[in-house]
């Protein structure tokens, strides 16, 4: 998927202190592309990104792969995607409101 490098980079680099302060608990991104999906769990308490699990996630974002790339580049935001029905949110909405694209690392060639 096109969005995999975003999460792989976060897994290598670790979660920023800014993200840890702003978002509490665990957020799962369920990235969809056609009939396939990939899960990425951002555990802000332990400052980790874990692939292929949504275990104990407080908030789950269901988002299309291309929309995730646009979000990571700051070309759109989660609120706009939600209002256009391109994003489904499960669980703790307070985390969803606090999660913004500036919390993601800037990727050089996405």
């Amino acid at each position: 998927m096109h969005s995999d490098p975003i999460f792989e980079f976060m897994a290598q680099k670790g979660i920023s202190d800014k993200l840890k302060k702003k978002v509490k608990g665990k957020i799962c991104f369920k990235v969809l592309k056609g009939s396939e999906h990939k899960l990425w769990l951002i555990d802000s308490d332990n400052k980790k990104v874990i692939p292929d699990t949504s275990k104990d996630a407080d908030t789950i974002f269901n988002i299309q792969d291309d929309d995730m790339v646009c979000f990571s580049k700051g070309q759109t935001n989660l609120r706009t995607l939600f209002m256009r029905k391109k994003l489904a949110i499960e669980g703790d909405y307070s985390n969803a409101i606090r999660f913004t694209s500036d919390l993601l690392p800037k990727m050089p060639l996405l």
Side-chain angles (χ1 to χ4, degrees), residues 33-80:
K33 187 171 187 175
S35 61
E36 298 178 24
H37 74 273
K38 182 130 186 201
L39 300 170
W40 292 95
L41 184 71
I42 299 173
D43 182 348
S44 64
D45 294 334
N46 296 308
K47 295 183 85 172
K48 291 186 205 175
V49 176
I50 307 161
D52 302 321
T53 186
S54 62
K55 185 177 181 184
D56 300 325
D58 300 302
T59 306
I60 299 174
F61 294 117
N62 294 291
I63 187 169
Q64 292 294 319
D65 187 44
D66 292 339
D67 292 328
M68 182 64 206
V69 172
C70 289
F71 170 65
S72 73
K73 291 178 177 180
Q75 295 171 344
T76 189
N77 61 54
L78 294 178
R79 180 176 287 172
T80 300

